[in-house]
Amino acid sequence: MPALVMNATGCKGRLLTDFTALGLSTKLLDALAGANFTTPTPIQEKAIPLALEGHDIMGLAQTGTGKTMAFGLPLIDTLLSQPGKPLPKTSKALILAPTRELVNQIADNLRVLTDGSRIRVVTVVGGQSINRQINALSRGTDILVATPGRLIDLMDRGAIDLGTVRHLVLDEADQMLDLGFIHALRKIAPALGTPRQTMLFSATMPKQIEELSDAYLTNPQKVQVARPGKAADKITQSIHFLSKPEKPKMLREILSKDLDALTLVFSRTKHGAEKLMKGLVADGYNAASIHGNKSQGQRDRAIKAFREGEITILVATDVAARGIDIPGVAYVINFDLPEVPDNYVHRIGRTARAGRDGEAIAFCSPEETDLLRQIEKLMKIELPVASGTRPSRDAKPAGKPGGGRNRGRSNSQKPKSSEGAPAKKRRRPRNRKAA
């Protein structure tokens, strides 16, 4: 059944101007007041009343719009109204997210709201002690926030029984699909209890998300606050057209203008992020990096230092930065344009959060012209030019950003091994006579 689109009014047609109009429990309202939350965001206005009624939800909203509270508040309110503690090795609710950072971010937000209550929140992610997680699950939990891979590891070890789960949340569902977690979801879903309420939240709506909704949601109510591909209104965007070798110098010029501002710099690859960070540190900039080659502890420490202003420049890859929710980020710089247009929207959504202003700056080399065109087509805008000259529409891209399988390569363009040396040609094994 197709999802229903709801307007921004409550169930009785009354405009929701603050959280008190939602009928939330007094304890939850006190927690909101203590955290200085007074007015729901648009996605919260639309989703919370429907979720409190028990509907399945398919929420579409750009990053930084308050999606965690949109599913977290009704989930916590429902669990507070249910008597009894969770049994050992069980959970009442499950939230799945694609990255460790996002899992931790969600859990931190929920704990602010459940502090002092009987609601227990447990996280399980890769890169941390699985024995410690097994011990945490042995006591049971009300809300389990997990990455799919580690959750399956724990299921295989008999550390968690998901048969009591009556609430499922899929956060950043589009990113989970991009990372190939659909196979994990197919293994997790049959283990969940029924009937259950399922809420799916995504920043974009590709065809696969519609298929996911059809497979796991029942008569979902669709809530949407911005068209896919639209950036937050308070983000000022610009682009610099320059050659690839000119990028490091331009980056330093921009960073030097506001050294105290929190700046998030995106690189396309893990190696590129680390190299860029080390170059900045060598030049005296206060920088750190997060990417897939960093341990979980290293990533957590870098994000904590960035949040607290101990470092002011964080160089990141797309996946590693997915869970960053730091209201103080003033600038997002796309040192490399992403190969997936949707990721541009996610990247720049790291600034202008919680009602603040923000600036997103992109660099575009000739090799990235086609990537830029895809981004502008998705967003239905043309980014303002800060420097350089925009290539004409007739101009062909200079080549793929990461190289490509180009015919007629010279010897200097031959592929290299991971150590940087020219890759050796494999010899065919000689035919051996049978003994």
Side-chain angles (χ1 to χ4, degrees):
M1 179 177 176
L4 301 176
V5 180
M6 303 298 293
N7 59 26
T9 58
C11 307
K12 299 179 181 179
R14 179 179 54 179
L15 186 66
L16 303 176
T17 56
D18 56 48
F19 288 108
T20 59
L22 298 177
L24 297 168
S25 66
T26 301
K27 194 171 187 64
L28 198 49
L29 289 173
D30 290 342
L32 284 166
N36 294 321
F37 291 114
T38 57
T39 305
T41 65
I43 188 66
Q44 293 162 8
E45 285 184 349
K46 296 180 180 184
I48 289 173
L50 297 170
L52 287 172
E53 290 182 347
H55 294 287
D56 282 8
I57 303 292
M58 183 167 65
L60 293 173
Q62 64 204 38
T63 186
T65 54
K67 286 182 286 184
T68 300
M69 295 272 281
F71 63 74
L73 281 170
L75 178 58
I76 293 169
D77 190 75
T78 300
L79 294 177
L80 284 171
S81 68
Q82 296 174 356
K85 294 182 178 180
L87 297 172
K89 296 186 179 182
T90 69
S91 180
K92 295 181 179 181
L94 172 64
I95 300 172
L96 291 176
T99 68
R100 293 172 284 188
E101 283 76 20
L102 186 55
V103 165
N104 292 334
Q105 187 69 56
I106 292 169
D108 287 345
N109 289 338
L110 296 182
R111 286 174 180 140
V112 169
L113 301 174
T114 57
D115 185 36
S117 75
R118 61 175 174 77
I119 300 297
R120 187 164 182 257
V121 180
V122 170
T123 61
V124 293
V125 298
Q128 295 182 354
S129 169
I130 194 168
N131 290 328
R132 194 173 300 166
Q133 293 171 358
I134 290 172
N135 181 58
L137 291 172
S138 66
R139 293 178 284 157
T141 184
D142 296 279
I143 303 174
L144 176 60
V145 193
T147 51
R150 176 50 62 93
L151 180 59
I152 288 178
D153 289 343
L154 291 162
M155 291 169 62
D156 291 342
R157 294 183 182 220
I160 181 68
D161 177 4
L162 299 177
T164 59
V165 170
R166 291 294 186 270
H167 304 275
L168 172 65
V169 178
L170 305 176
D171 194 21
E172 301 284 8
D174 51 350
Q175 182 73 354
M176 278 202 278
L177 291 178
D178 289 343
L179 295 176
F181 286 140
I182 185 64
H183 303 294
L185 183 59
R186 287 173 181 155
K187 186 172 182 179
I188 293 168
L192 303 175
T194 55
R196 66 176 177 269
Q197 179 185 41
T198 301
M199 294 184 275
L200 181 154
F201 286 81
S202 179
T204 60
M205 187 63 178
K207 184 178 179 181
Q208 296 95 319
I209 292 295
E210 293 183 14
E211 295 171 351
L212 195 67
S213 173
D214 291 340
Y216 295 105
L217 277 67
T218 303
N219 298 328
Q221 304 284 319
K222 180 179 179 181
V223 293
Q224 182 173 345
V225 298
R227 64 172 176 80
K230 185 180 184 300
D233 293 333
K234 292 193 174 184
I235 300 177
T236 301
Q237 300 180 65
S238 63
I239 189 158
H240 295 264
F241 291 99
L242 70 179
S243 68
K244 188 174 181 180
E246 292 173 320
K247 287 185 176 184
K249 180 181 178 182
M250 177 62 73
L251 177 63
R252 284 156 175 77
E253 287 180 7
I254 294 171
L255 293 174
S256 297
K257 293 177 182 178
D258 197 352
L259 291 173
D260 294 328
L262 293 186
T263 302
L264 187 56
V265 182
F266 280 97
S267 172
R268 187 179 297 114
T269 66
K270 294 178 286 188
H271 173 72
E274 189 67 9
K275 180 180 178 182
L276 183 57
M277 180 275 292
K278 288 181 176 178
L280 290 171
V281 170
D283 288 344
Y285 291 90
N286 190 11
S289 65
I290 57 169
H291 50 72
N293 286 346
K294 296 281 188 178
S295 70
Q296 184 62 40
Q298 289 174 317
R299 290 158 70 168
D300 290 344
R301 286 191 294 273
I303 291 175
K304 182 175 183 291
F306 186 59
R307 177 179 286 109
E308 295 176 356
E310 295 175 11
I311 63 166
T312 56
I313 302 165
L314 188 63
V315 186
T317 54
D318 286 305
V319 172
R322 190 70 173 203
I324 293 179
D325 183 7
I326 300 174
V329 174
Y331 300 94
V332 169
I333 299 177
N334 284 278
F335 187 84
D336 299 315
L337 291 181
E339 293 183 340
V340 178
D342 287 332
N343 283 348
Y344 175 84
V345 182
H346 296 310
R347 288 180 177 188
I348 68 174
R350 300 300 108 191
T351 188
R353 299 177 82 84
R356 292 174 169 84
D357 295 329
E359 186 170 349
I361 302 167
F363 297 166
C364 180
S365 65
E367 298 86 357
E368 297 172 301
T369 301
D370 189 54
L371 299 180
L372 174 63
R373 289 172 181 168
Q374 294 176 41
I375 290 167
E376 292 182 329
K377 181 180 179 181
L378 171 70
M379 301 185 71
K380 295 180 172 59
I381 63 170
E382 194 170 83
L383 297 182
V385 178
S387 71
T389 304
R390 178 182 292 275
S392 67
R393 288 288 175 182
D394 298 330
K396 294 183 179 179
K400 293 185 178 180
R405 295 186 177 181
N406 300 320
R407 294 182 178 181
R409 281 186 292 220
S410 66
N411 289 336
S412 63
Q413 295 173 308
K414 287 182 180 179
K416 295 185 178 182
S417 68
S418 58
E419 290 77 26
K424 293 181 178 180
K425 230 179 180 180
R426 289 187 177 180
R427 293 181 179 179
R428 290 185 179 180
R430 295 178 181 177
N431 292 326
R432 296 183 178 178
K433 293 182 180 179

